[in-house]
């Protein structure tokens, strides 16, 4: 550690630029859970840097007082077994970091991967480092779209768009995708921001397909809702028509049943007479036939 401090002071007082990392320092990156990220660390080597190249990635503690190594490139070798939670999830982006690319990739991100990461490039006497803050967040879950209220003319209907999980803030956008493609004037921006569309004094023109988009800083999801505004008397007519159809079908079924039953009784009676005739003496059969 004392050697590193000495090297830094040497560079400051001698005016030697040494190793220079071109990537932006103090960058903040936000990514979704389950995604991947590249932490950038592009660098140049000065002619006076003649020592062995070492690229070290560490993660700072919450207090920022200590670092824990996660992956190191040194003497042409990669060492990535420092951090068990990141095992098989962290690797250098370049197959040959010594060409000036010390960036790393993190895969299958979890919430616990959030933190501040430091890339330090050393090639004596040059030394330089930058920090990158990673925030891993939940994207919005699949929203649920539904209506509240009676979907009839002159009634108040509220369209809801809700997500169960997702990092705040979540922004909602409602659109009408059919008909006039214009949201009702009563929708209200405050309601839309909360995932709601208020339809006051609903009319048939408000019928159609509505599209809701739920978005936060790391993801976006959507849902569609079919809305049909009807007249109350139309509902009554439809109900009456359905009942009438069912009654007609019931009567037809009853008539068919009665006819089938009648035919069955006639067949059974004829069959019984035939059996009785076959079982009677010849003289009795003639009498039965004369009858």
């Amino acid at each position: 550690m004392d050697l590193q401090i000495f090297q830094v002071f040497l560079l400051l007082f001698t005016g030697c630029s040494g190793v220079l990392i071109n990537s932006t320092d103090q960058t903040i990156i936000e990514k979704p859970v389950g995604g991947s990220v590249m932490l950038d660390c592009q660098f140049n080597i000065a002619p006076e840097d003649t020592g062995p190249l070492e690229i070290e990635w560490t993660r700072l503690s919450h207090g920022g007082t200590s670092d824990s190594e996660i992956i190191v490139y040194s003497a042409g070798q990669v060492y990535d077994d420092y951090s068990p939670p990141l095992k098989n999830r962290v690797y250098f982006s370049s197959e040959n970091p010594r060409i000036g690319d010390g960036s790393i990739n993190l895969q299958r991100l979890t919430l616990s991967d959030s933190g501040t990461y430091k890339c330090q490039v050393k090639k004596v006497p040059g030394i330089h480092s930058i920090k990158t803050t990673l925030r891993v967040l939940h994207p919005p879950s699949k929203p649920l779209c539904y209506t509240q209220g009676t979907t009839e003319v002159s009634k108040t209907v509220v369209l809801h768009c809700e997500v169960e999980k997702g990092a705040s803030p979540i922004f909602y956008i409602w659109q009408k995708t059919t008909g006039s493609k214009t949201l009702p004037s009563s929708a209200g921006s405050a309601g839309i921001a909360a995932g709601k569309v208020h339809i006051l004094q609903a009319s048939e023109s408000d019928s159609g397909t509505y599209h809701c988009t739920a978005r936060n800083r790391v993801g976006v999801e959507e849902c569609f809702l079919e809305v049909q505004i009807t007249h109350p008397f139309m509902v009554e007519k439809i109900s009456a028509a359905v009942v009438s159809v069912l009654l007609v079908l019931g009567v037809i079924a009853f008539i068919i049943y009665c006819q089938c039953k009648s035919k069955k009784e006639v067949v059974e009676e004829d069959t019984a007479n035939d059996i009785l005739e076959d079982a009677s003496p010849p003289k009795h059969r003639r009498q039965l036939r004369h009858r």
Side-chain angles (χ1 to χ4, degrees), residues 225-246:
L225 182 63
E226 293 291 337
V227 178
Q228 187 65 40
I229 307 297
T230 58
H231 285 281
F233 72 87
M234 288 181 62
V235 176
E236 294 175 0
K237 278 188 173 182
I238 292 172
S239 300
V242 171
V243 172
S244 299
V245 170
L246 291 176

